[in-house]
Each structure stands twice: as structure tokens, then as C-alpha cells.
mmCIF file of all heavy atoms in Angstrom:
data_model
loop_
_atom_site.group_PDB
_atom_site.id
_atom_site.type_symbol
_atom_site.label_atom_id
_atom_site.label_comp_id
_atom_site.label_asym_id
_atom_site.label_seq_id
_atom_site.Cartn_x
_atom_site.Cartn_y
_atom_site.Cartn_z
ATOM 1 N N ILE A 2 -233.525 -108.208 91.092
ATOM 2 C CA ILE A 2 -232.464 -107.897 92.102
ATOM 3 C C ILE A 2 -232.940 -108.286 93.478
ATOM 4 O O ILE A 2 -234.043 -107.897 93.926
ATOM 5 C CB ILE A 2 -232.121 -106.419 92.043
ATOM 6 C CG1 ILE A 2 -231.501 -106.043 90.703
ATOM 7 C CG2 ILE A 2 -231.154 -106.081 93.198
ATOM 8 C CD1 ILE A 2 -231.155 -104.597 90.553
ATOM 9 N N TYR A 3 -232.171 -109.156 94.135
ATOM 10 C CA TYR A 3 -232.569 -109.673 95.438
ATOM 11 C C TYR A 3 -232.459 -108.547 96.495
ATOM 12 O O TYR A 3 -231.526 -107.774 96.499
ATOM 13 C CB TYR A 3 -231.691 -110.850 95.813
ATOM 14 C CG TYR A 3 -231.771 -111.227 97.285
ATOM 15 C CD1 TYR A 3 -232.822 -112.006 97.700
ATOM 16 C CD2 TYR A 3 -230.862 -110.746 98.227
ATOM 17 C CE1 TYR A 3 -232.969 -112.372 99.032
ATOM 18 C CE2 TYR A 3 -230.962 -111.108 99.550
ATOM 19 C CZ TYR A 3 -232.061 -111.908 99.944
ATOM 20 O OH TYR A 3 -232.165 -112.219 101.261
ATOM 21 N N LYS A 4 -233.431 -108.528 97.411
ATOM 22 C CA LYS A 4 -233.416 -107.612 98.544
ATOM 23 C C LYS A 4 -233.803 -108.404 99.797
ATOM 24 O O LYS A 4 -234.675 -109.235 99.761
ATOM 25 C CB LYS A 4 -234.427 -106.465 98.345
ATOM 26 C CG LYS A 4 -234.023 -105.518 97.231
ATOM 27 C CD LYS A 4 -234.988 -104.339 97.165
ATOM 28 C CE LYS A 4 -234.565 -103.349 96.091
ATOM 29 N NZ LYS A 4 -235.475 -102.197 95.997
ATOM 30 N N ASP A 5 -233.027 -108.140 100.883
ATOM 31 C CA ASP A 5 -233.357 -108.833 102.112
ATOM 32 C C ASP A 5 -234.517 -108.169 102.833
ATOM 33 O O ASP A 5 -235.161 -107.238 102.295
ATOM 34 C CB ASP A 5 -232.124 -108.917 103.000
ATOM 35 C CG ASP A 5 -231.589 -107.552 103.406
ATOM 36 O OD1 ASP A 5 -232.337 -106.574 103.294
ATOM 37 O OD2 ASP A 5 -230.409 -107.455 103.871
ATOM 38 N N ASP A 6 -234.807 -108.573 104.062
ATOM 39 C CA ASP A 6 -235.940 -108.031 104.771
ATOM 40 C C ASP A 6 -235.801 -106.562 105.100
ATOM 41 O O ASP A 6 -236.808 -105.885 105.342
ATOM 42 C CB ASP A 6 -236.105 -108.854 106.121
ATOM 43 C CG ASP A 6 -236.508 -110.293 105.875
ATOM 44 O OD1 ASP A 6 -237.061 -110.608 104.774
ATOM 45 O OD2 ASP A 6 -236.239 -111.138 106.770
ATOM 46 N N ASN A 7 -234.585 -106.093 105.101
ATOM 47 C CA ASN A 7 -234.316 -104.632 105.359
ATOM 48 C C ASN A 7 -234.297 -103.840 104.082
ATOM 49 O O ASN A 7 -234.039 -102.618 104.124
ATOM 50 C CB ASN A 7 -232.989 -104.423 106.170
ATOM 51 C CG ASN A 7 -233.081 -105.101 107.515
ATOM 52 O OD1 ASN A 7 -234.103 -105.007 108.211
ATOM 53 N ND2 ASN A 7 -231.990 -105.748 107.912
ATOM 54 N N GLY A 8 -234.502 -104.461 102.974
ATOM 55 C CA GLY A 8 -234.448 -103.735 101.687
ATOM 56 C C GLY A 8 -233.095 -103.565 101.111
ATOM 57 O O GLY A 8 -232.905 -102.856 100.164
ATOM 58 N N ASP A 9 -232.060 -104.269 101.659
ATOM 59 C CA ASP A 9 -230.673 -104.127 101.169
ATOM 60 C C ASP A 9 -230.455 -105.121 100.016
ATOM 61 O O ASP A 9 -230.915 -106.299 100.094
ATOM 62 C CB ASP A 9 -229.693 -104.438 102.294
ATOM 63 C CG ASP A 9 -229.784 -103.358 103.400
ATOM 64 O OD1 ASP A 9 -229.983 -102.186 103.055
ATOM 65 O OD2 ASP A 9 -229.736 -103.780 104.575
ATOM 66 N N SER A 10 -229.714 -104.713 99.017
ATOM 67 C CA SER A 10 -229.311 -105.594 97.952
ATOM 68 C C SER A 10 -227.807 -105.844 97.979
ATOM 69 O O SER A 10 -227.040 -105.143 98.714
ATOM 70 C CB SER A 10 -229.744 -105.008 96.623
ATOM 71 O OG SER A 10 -229.206 -103.640 96.447
ATOM 72 N N TYR A 11 -227.351 -106.807 97.196
ATOM 73 C CA TYR A 11 -225.963 -107.300 97.314
ATOM 74 C C TYR A 11 -225.274 -107.452 95.943
ATOM 75 O O TYR A 11 -225.986 -107.723 94.907
ATOM 76 C CB TYR A 11 -225.992 -108.676 98.023
ATOM 77 C CG TYR A 11 -226.473 -108.605 99.448
ATOM 78 C CD1 TYR A 11 -227.868 -108.582 99.722
ATOM 79 C CD2 TYR A 11 -225.617 -108.578 100.534
ATOM 80 C CE1 TYR A 11 -228.337 -108.513 100.997
ATOM 81 C CE2 TYR A 11 -226.089 -108.551 101.825
ATOM 82 C CZ TYR A 11 -227.446 -108.475 102.037
ATOM 83 O OH TYR A 11 -227.899 -108.458 103.372
ATOM 84 N N LEU A 12 -223.961 -107.286 95.972
ATOM 85 C CA LEU A 12 -223.152 -107.561 94.767
ATOM 86 C C LEU A 12 -222.937 -109.032 94.592
ATOM 87 O O LEU A 12 -222.876 -109.767 95.568
ATOM 88 C CB LEU A 12 -221.790 -106.867 94.895
ATOM 89 C CG LEU A 12 -221.798 -105.322 94.996
ATOM 90 C CD1 LEU A 12 -220.345 -104.846 95.206
ATOM 91 C CD2 LEU A 12 -222.392 -104.721 93.747
ATOM 92 N N ASN A 13 -222.858 -109.417 93.376
ATOM 93 C CA ASN A 13 -222.679 -110.846 93.013
ATOM 94 C C ASN A 13 -221.232 -111.259 93.170
ATOM 95 O O ASN A 13 -220.331 -110.679 92.481
ATOM 96 C CB ASN A 13 -223.157 -111.066 91.553
ATOM 97 C CG ASN A 13 -223.083 -112.517 91.163
ATOM 98 O OD1 ASN A 13 -222.494 -113.379 91.823
ATOM 99 N ND2 ASN A 13 -223.701 -112.867 90.027
ATOM 100 N N PRO A 14 -220.872 -112.122 94.070
ATOM 101 C CA PRO A 14 -219.488 -112.574 94.296
ATOM 102 C C PRO A 14 -218.844 -113.139 93.038
ATOM 103 O O PRO A 14 -217.607 -113.109 92.892
ATOM 104 C CB PRO A 14 -219.581 -113.602 95.398
ATOM 105 C CG PRO A 14 -220.847 -113.334 96.060
ATOM 106 C CD PRO A 14 -221.797 -112.827 95.041
ATOM 107 N N ASP A 15 -219.647 -113.650 92.145
ATOM 108 C CA ASP A 15 -219.075 -114.234 90.880
ATOM 109 C C ASP A 15 -219.034 -113.236 89.742
ATOM 110 O O ASP A 15 -218.625 -113.589 88.617
ATOM 111 C CB ASP A 15 -219.957 -115.434 90.440
ATOM 112 C CG ASP A 15 -219.985 -116.524 91.534
ATOM 113 O OD1 ASP A 15 -218.952 -116.733 92.199
ATOM 114 O OD2 ASP A 15 -221.049 -117.126 91.761
ATOM 115 N N SER A 16 -219.443 -111.995 89.970
ATOM 116 C CA SER A 16 -219.443 -111.009 88.956
ATOM 117 C C SER A 16 -218.047 -110.351 88.863
ATOM 118 O O SER A 16 -217.484 -109.871 89.823
ATOM 119 C CB SER A 16 -220.470 -109.904 89.270
ATOM 120 O OG SER A 16 -220.309 -108.813 88.441
ATOM 121 N N SER A 17 -217.490 -110.305 87.620
ATOM 122 C CA SER A 17 -216.184 -109.707 87.443
ATOM 123 C C SER A 17 -216.253 -108.163 87.636
ATOM 124 O O SER A 17 -215.311 -107.540 88.126
ATOM 125 C CB SER A 17 -215.671 -109.984 86.023
ATOM 126 O OG SER A 17 -216.540 -109.532 85.063
ATOM 127 N N GLU A 18 -217.421 -107.587 87.317
ATOM 128 C CA GLU A 18 -217.601 -106.150 87.594
ATOM 129 C C GLU A 18 -217.618 -105.821 89.027
ATOM 130 O O GLU A 18 -216.983 -104.844 89.450
ATOM 131 C CB GLU A 18 -218.925 -105.653 86.929
ATOM 132 C CG GLU A 18 -218.952 -105.616 85.447
ATOM 133 C CD GLU A 18 -219.319 -106.948 84.830
ATOM 134 O OE1 GLU A 18 -219.510 -107.932 85.638
ATOM 135 O OE2 GLU A 18 -219.405 -107.115 83.611
ATOM 136 N N ALA A 19 -218.286 -106.700 89.835
ATOM 137 C CA ALA A 19 -218.305 -106.440 91.264
ATOM 138 C C ALA A 19 -216.930 -106.600 91.867
ATOM 139 O O ALA A 19 -216.498 -105.816 92.710
ATOM 140 C CB ALA A 19 -219.300 -107.395 91.924
ATOM 141 N N TYR A 20 -216.189 -107.614 91.455
ATOM 142 C CA TYR A 20 -214.857 -107.810 91.979
ATOM 143 C C TYR A 20 -213.950 -106.672 91.570
ATOM 144 O O TYR A 20 -213.114 -106.159 92.397
ATOM 145 C CB TYR A 20 -214.257 -109.140 91.526
ATOM 146 C CG TYR A 20 -212.784 -109.264 91.961
ATOM 147 C CD1 TYR A 20 -212.445 -109.482 93.250
ATOM 148 C CD2 TYR A 20 -211.756 -109.105 91.017
ATOM 149 C CE1 TYR A 20 -211.135 -109.580 93.637
ATOM 150 C CE2 TYR A 20 -210.434 -109.192 91.379
ATOM 151 C CZ TYR A 20 -210.123 -109.451 92.734
ATOM 152 O OH TYR A 20 -208.803 -109.484 93.084
ATOM 153 N N SER A 21 -214.006 -106.226 90.324
ATOM 154 C CA SER A 21 -213.151 -105.121 89.865
ATOM 155 C C SER A 21 -213.437 -103.816 90.671
ATOM 156 O O SER A 21 -212.523 -103.042 90.943
ATOM 157 C CB SER A 21 -213.371 -104.875 88.405
ATOM 158 O OG SER A 21 -212.950 -106.013 87.622
ATOM 159 N N TYR A 22 -214.714 -103.648 91.023
ATOM 160 C CA TYR A 22 -215.060 -102.476 91.800
ATOM 161 C C TYR A 22 -214.422 -102.514 93.155
ATOM 162 O O TYR A 22 -213.836 -101.503 93.621
ATOM 163 C CB TYR A 22 -216.609 -102.440 91.947
ATOM 164 C CG TYR A 22 -217.117 -101.241 92.711
ATOM 165 C CD1 TYR A 22 -216.792 -99.934 92.308
ATOM 166 C CD2 TYR A 22 -218.024 -101.421 93.797
ATOM 167 C CE1 TYR A 22 -217.352 -98.867 92.996
ATOM 168 C CE2 TYR A 22 -218.541 -100.340 94.453
ATOM 169 C CZ TYR A 22 -218.211 -99.044 94.065
ATOM 170 O OH TYR A 22 -218.682 -97.979 94.774
ATOM 171 N N ILE A 23 -214.489 -103.650 93.867
ATOM 172 C CA ILE A 23 -213.874 -103.768 95.182
ATOM 173 C C ILE A 23 -212.361 -103.651 95.047
ATOM 174 O O ILE A 23 -211.698 -102.944 95.863
ATOM 175 C CB ILE A 23 -214.269 -105.116 95.787
ATOM 176 C CG1 ILE A 23 -215.768 -105.193 96.068
ATOM 177 C CG2 ILE A 23 -213.494 -105.374 97.115
ATOM 178 C CD1 ILE A 23 -216.264 -106.539 96.534
ATOM 179 N N LYS A 24 -211.802 -104.290 94.071
ATOM 180 C CA LYS A 24 -210.322 -104.212 93.863
ATOM 181 C C LYS A 24 -209.854 -102.801 93.639
ATOM 182 O O LYS A 24 -208.839 -102.377 94.140
ATOM 183 C CB LYS A 24 -209.947 -105.097 92.675
ATOM 184 C CG LYS A 24 -208.517 -104.990 92.274
ATOM 185 C CD LYS A 24 -208.215 -105.753 90.977
ATOM 186 C CE LYS A 24 -206.834 -105.465 90.448
ATOM 187 N NZ LYS A 24 -206.612 -106.063 89.121
ATOM 188 N N SER A 25 -210.652 -102.003 92.831
ATOM 189 C CA SER A 25 -210.245 -100.660 92.537
ATOM 190 C C SER A 25 -210.272 -99.788 93.749
ATOM 191 O O SER A 25 -209.435 -98.875 93.986
ATOM 192 C CB SER A 25 -211.163 -100.081 91.491
ATOM 193 O OG SER A 25 -211.115 -100.784 90.249
ATOM 194 N N ILE A 26 -211.241 -99.994 94.668
ATOM 195 C CA ILE A 26 -211.294 -99.241 95.906
ATOM 196 C C ILE A 26 -210.079 -99.570 96.797
ATOM 197 O O ILE A 26 -209.422 -98.643 97.343
ATOM 198 C CB ILE A 26 -212.585 -99.604 96.662
ATOM 199 C CG1 ILE A 26 -213.802 -99.075 95.903
ATOM 200 C CG2 ILE A 26 -212.582 -99.058 98.081
ATOM 201 C CD1 ILE A 26 -215.120 -99.473 96.487
ATOM 202 N N VAL A 27 -209.675 -100.837 96.926
ATOM 203 C CA VAL A 27 -208.513 -101.276 97.682
ATOM 204 C C VAL A 27 -207.306 -100.610 97.087
ATOM 205 O O VAL A 27 -206.433 -100.050 97.819
ATOM 206 C CB VAL A 27 -208.389 -102.774 97.701
ATOM 207 C CG1 VAL A 27 -207.051 -103.172 98.331
ATOM 208 C CG2 VAL A 27 -209.536 -103.413 98.425
ATOM 209 N N GLU A 28 -207.183 -100.617 95.785
ATOM 210 C CA GLU A 28 -206.001 -100.072 95.073
ATOM 211 C C GLU A 28 -205.838 -98.594 95.346
ATOM 212 O O GLU A 28 -204.724 -98.073 95.585
ATOM 213 C CB GLU A 28 -206.142 -100.380 93.595
ATOM 214 C CG GLU A 28 -204.848 -100.150 92.841
ATOM 215 C CD GLU A 28 -204.977 -100.667 91.376
ATOM 216 O OE1 GLU A 28 -206.131 -100.683 90.879
ATOM 217 O OE2 GLU A 28 -203.926 -101.078 90.837
ATOM 218 N N GLU A 29 -206.972 -97.866 95.324
ATOM 219 C CA GLU A 29 -206.936 -96.462 95.502
ATOM 220 C C GLU A 29 -206.574 -96.066 96.896
ATOM 221 O O GLU A 29 -205.763 -95.125 97.157
ATOM 222 C CB GLU A 29 -208.307 -95.840 95.138
ATOM 223 C CG GLU A 29 -208.311 -94.346 94.921
ATOM 224 C CD GLU A 29 -209.650 -93.852 94.356
ATOM 225 O OE1 GLU A 29 -210.680 -94.410 94.678
ATOM 226 O OE2 GLU A 29 -209.579 -92.911 93.544
ATOM 227 N N VAL A 30 -207.125 -96.719 97.895
ATOM 228 C CA VAL A 30 -206.801 -96.406 99.295
ATOM 229 C C VAL A 30 -205.403 -96.908 99.653
ATOM 230 O O VAL A 30 -204.727 -96.309 100.492
ATOM 231 C CB VAL A 30 -207.879 -97.041 100.200
ATOM 232 C CG1 VAL A 30 -207.596 -96.770 101.669
ATOM 233 C CG2 VAL A 30 -209.271 -96.526 99.865
ATOM 234 N N ARG A 31 -205.018 -98.016 99.054
ATOM 235 C CA ARG A 31 -203.621 -98.523 99.247
ATOM 236 C C ARG A 31 -202.589 -97.456 98.892
ATOM 237 O O ARG A 31 -201.585 -97.284 99.543
ATOM 238 C CB ARG A 31 -203.406 -99.833 98.441
ATOM 239 C CG ARG A 31 -201.961 -100.313 98.481
ATOM 240 C CD ARG A 31 -201.587 -100.824 99.856
ATOM 241 N NE ARG A 31 -200.219 -101.253 99.922
ATOM 242 C CZ ARG A 31 -199.224 -100.475 100.294
ATOM 243 N NH1 ARG A 31 -199.416 -99.220 100.604
ATOM 244 N NH2 ARG A 31 -197.988 -100.971 100.330
ATOM 245 N N ALA A 32 -202.878 -96.732 97.818
ATOM 246 C CA ALA A 32 -201.953 -95.705 97.339
ATOM 247 C C ALA A 32 -201.840 -94.543 98.339
ATOM 248 O O ALA A 32 -200.888 -93.758 98.335
ATOM 249 C CB ALA A 32 -202.377 -95.194 95.982
ATOM 250 N N MET A 33 -202.858 -94.413 99.220
ATOM 251 C CA MET A 33 -202.835 -93.328 100.211
ATOM 252 C C MET A 33 -202.005 -93.740 101.450
ATOM 253 O O MET A 33 -201.779 -92.891 102.313
ATOM 254 C CB MET A 33 -204.264 -93.017 100.661
ATOM 255 C CG MET A 33 -205.147 -92.523 99.526
ATOM 256 S SD MET A 33 -206.863 -92.172 100.127
ATOM 257 C CE MET A 33 -207.673 -91.700 98.649
ATOM 258 N N GLY A 34 -201.659 -95.020 101.558
ATOM 259 C CA GLY A 34 -200.823 -95.424 102.700
ATOM 260 C C GLY A 34 -201.488 -96.457 103.632
ATOM 261 O O GLY A 34 -200.897 -96.814 104.645
ATOM 262 N N VAL A 35 -202.631 -97.006 103.214
ATOM 263 C CA VAL A 35 -203.310 -97.989 104.076
ATOM 264 C C VAL A 35 -202.911 -99.391 103.523
ATOM 265 O O VAL A 35 -203.060 -99.675 102.329
ATOM 266 C CB VAL A 35 -204.817 -97.866 104.018
ATOM 267 C CG1 VAL A 35 -205.482 -99.012 104.828
ATOM 268 C CG2 VAL A 35 -205.249 -96.513 104.577
ATOM 269 N N SER A 36 -202.426 -100.241 104.398
ATOM 270 C CA SER A 36 -202.009 -101.593 103.983
ATOM 271 C C SER A 36 -202.744 -102.728 104.694
ATOM 272 O O SER A 36 -202.565 -103.898 104.419
ATOM 273 C CB SER A 36 -200.483 -101.762 104.213
ATOM 274 O OG SER A 36 -200.147 -101.550 105.580
ATOM 275 N N VAL A 37 -203.620 -102.337 105.647
ATOM 276 C CA VAL A 37 -204.437 -103.299 106.377
ATOM 277 C C VAL A 37 -205.911 -103.004 106.156
ATOM 278 O O VAL A 37 -206.371 -101.894 106.401
ATOM 279 C CB VAL A 37 -204.140 -103.286 107.877
ATOM 280 C CG1 VAL A 37 -205.027 -104.283 108.606
ATOM 281 C CG2 VAL A 37 -202.667 -103.649 108.105
ATOM 282 N N PHE A 38 -206.660 -103.980 105.669
ATOM 283 C CA PHE A 38 -208.075 -103.817 105.311
ATOM 284 C C PHE A 38 -208.910 -104.883 106.102
ATOM 285 O O PHE A 38 -208.529 -106.110 106.090
ATOM 286 C CB PHE A 38 -208.335 -103.933 103.865
ATOM 287 C CG PHE A 38 -207.779 -102.812 103.025
ATOM 288 C CD1 PHE A 38 -206.449 -102.824 102.579
ATOM 289 C CD2 PHE A 38 -208.489 -101.700 102.814
ATOM 290 C CE1 PHE A 38 -205.915 -101.805 101.868
ATOM 291 C CE2 PHE A 38 -207.976 -100.591 102.059
ATOM 292 C CZ PHE A 38 -206.666 -100.681 101.579
ATOM 293 N N ILE A 39 -209.997 -104.449 106.714
ATOM 294 C CA ILE A 39 -210.948 -105.369 107.324
ATOM 295 C C ILE A 39 -212.128 -105.550 106.319
ATOM 296 O O ILE A 39 -212.746 -104.542 105.937
ATOM 297 C CB ILE A 39 -211.465 -104.795 108.636
ATOM 298 C CG1 ILE A 39 -210.312 -104.659 109.628
ATOM 299 C CG2 ILE A 39 -212.555 -105.719 109.252
ATOM 300 C CD1 ILE A 39 -210.720 -103.931 110.948
ATOM 301 N N LEU A 40 -212.385 -106.773 105.966
ATOM 302 C CA LEU A 40 -213.426 -107.076 105.025
ATOM 303 C C LEU A 40 -214.666 -107.592 105.766
ATOM 304 O O LEU A 40 -214.586 -108.662 106.390
ATOM 305 C CB LEU A 40 -212.976 -108.070 103.998
ATOM 306 C CG LEU A 40 -211.709 -107.789 103.208
ATOM 307 C CD1 LEU A 40 -211.354 -108.874 102.173
ATOM 308 C CD2 LEU A 40 -211.730 -106.413 102.547
ATOM 309 N N THR A 41 -215.781 -106.842 105.715
ATOM 310 C CA THR A 41 -217.016 -107.277 106.346
ATOM 311 C C THR A 41 -218.040 -107.592 105.248
ATOM 312 O O THR A 41 -217.837 -107.319 104.073
ATOM 313 C CB THR A 41 -217.542 -106.171 107.263
ATOM 314 O OG1 THR A 41 -217.872 -104.991 106.508
ATOM 315 C CG2 THR A 41 -216.532 -105.768 108.308
ATOM 316 N N ASP A 42 -219.141 -108.175 105.692
ATOM 317 C CA ASP A 42 -220.259 -108.510 104.748
ATOM 318 C C ASP A 42 -219.727 -109.296 103.529
ATOM 319 O O ASP A 42 -220.099 -109.038 102.389
ATOM 320 C CB ASP A 42 -220.959 -107.252 104.298
ATOM 321 C CG ASP A 42 -221.577 -106.468 105.440
ATOM 322 O OD1 ASP A 42 -222.260 -107.106 106.254
ATOM 323 O OD2 ASP A 42 -221.334 -105.210 105.540
ATOM 324 N N CYS A 43 -218.870 -110.289 103.827
ATOM 325 C CA CYS A 43 -218.370 -111.177 102.779
ATOM 326 C C CYS A 43 -219.309 -112.308 102.451
ATOM 327 O O CYS A 43 -219.164 -113.000 101.415
ATOM 328 C CB CYS A 43 -217.010 -111.740 103.165
ATOM 329 S SG CYS A 43 -215.737 -110.499 103.435
ATOM 330 N N ASN A 44 -220.265 -112.569 103.313
ATOM 331 C CA ASN A 44 -221.196 -113.664 103.145
ATOM 332 C C ASN A 44 -222.575 -113.186 102.771
ATOM 333 O O ASN A 44 -223.064 -112.204 103.365
ATOM 334 C CB ASN A 44 -221.311 -114.492 104.424
ATOM 335 C CG ASN A 44 -219.937 -115.105 104.813
ATOM 336 O OD1 ASN A 44 -219.344 -115.792 104.030
ATOM 337 N ND2 ASN A 44 -219.520 -114.814 106.042
ATOM 338 N N LEU A 45 -223.209 -113.748 101.790
ATOM 339 C CA LEU A 45 -224.574 -113.410 101.397
ATOM 340 C C LEU A 45 -225.542 -114.047 102.421
ATOM 341 O O LEU A 45 -225.196 -114.932 103.177
ATOM 342 C CB LEU A 45 -224.867 -113.966 99.997
ATOM 343 C CG LEU A 45 -223.994 -113.450 98.868
ATOM 344 C CD1 LEU A 45 -224.369 -114.163 97.562
ATOM 345 C CD2 LEU A 45 -224.092 -111.933 98.744
ATOM 346 N N PRO A 46 -226.765 -113.501 102.468
ATOM 347 C CA PRO A 46 -227.757 -114.090 103.370
ATOM 348 C C PRO A 46 -227.969 -115.558 103.021
ATOM 349 O O PRO A 46 -227.855 -115.992 101.906
ATOM 350 C CB PRO A 46 -229.045 -113.289 103.053
ATOM 351 C CG PRO A 46 -228.534 -111.999 102.545
ATOM 352 C CD PRO A 46 -227.246 -112.267 101.826
ATOM 353 N N ASP A 47 -228.204 -116.381 104.067
ATOM 354 C CA ASP A 47 -228.311 -117.830 103.936
ATOM 355 C C ASP A 47 -229.309 -118.238 102.874
ATOM 356 O O ASP A 47 -229.109 -119.180 102.120
ATOM 357 C CB ASP A 47 -228.630 -118.498 105.258
ATOM 358 C CG ASP A 47 -227.521 -118.327 106.284
ATOM 359 O OD1 ASP A 47 -226.354 -118.140 105.834
ATOM 360 O OD2 ASP A 47 -227.783 -118.437 107.466
ATOM 361 N N GLU A 48 -230.402 -117.506 102.767
ATOM 362 C CA GLU A 48 -231.488 -117.906 101.841
ATOM 363 C C GLU A 48 -231.131 -117.747 100.379
ATOM 364 O O GLU A 48 -231.763 -118.305 99.510
ATOM 365 C CB GLU A 48 -232.705 -117.082 102.143
ATOM 366 C CG GLU A 48 -232.565 -115.590 101.937
ATOM 367 C CD GLU A 48 -233.839 -114.830 102.297
ATOM 368 O OE1 GLU A 48 -234.761 -115.450 102.823
ATOM 369 O OE2 GLU A 48 -233.888 -113.617 101.938
ATOM 370 N N ILE A 49 -230.040 -117.022 100.108
ATOM 371 C CA ILE A 49 -229.695 -116.779 98.730
ATOM 372 C C ILE A 49 -228.221 -117.161 98.402
ATOM 373 O O ILE A 49 -227.786 -117.158 97.245
ATOM 374 C CB ILE A 49 -229.868 -115.229 98.374
ATOM 375 C CG1 ILE A 49 -229.961 -115.023 96.857
ATOM 376 C CG2 ILE A 49 -228.721 -114.415 98.995
ATOM 377 C CD1 ILE A 49 -231.234 -115.608 96.244
#
């Protein structure tokens, strides 16, 4: 599992499990009345 200099690890953008996890979070909060989402940390570190 890759870790950056700060010890943080990342989800695999090509993983269906990772995408389903993000999608499920959006779906759950959307049902509460939120329709605008800001997506941060969409890019992996350059070295990986």
C-alpha cells in the first residue's frame, strides 16, 4: 500500500470498490438535500 511522505494512503481511481464507496456517500448525502458537491484530492501524488 503506497504512502506519501506524510504517511497518507490513497484509494485506487480504477478500483470499482473505491468508486462505489464514493458514489454511495454522494447518494446518501444527496437524499438529505445536498445537490452541490466539491470534490477535492482527485489527483494522486505525481510520483505514483
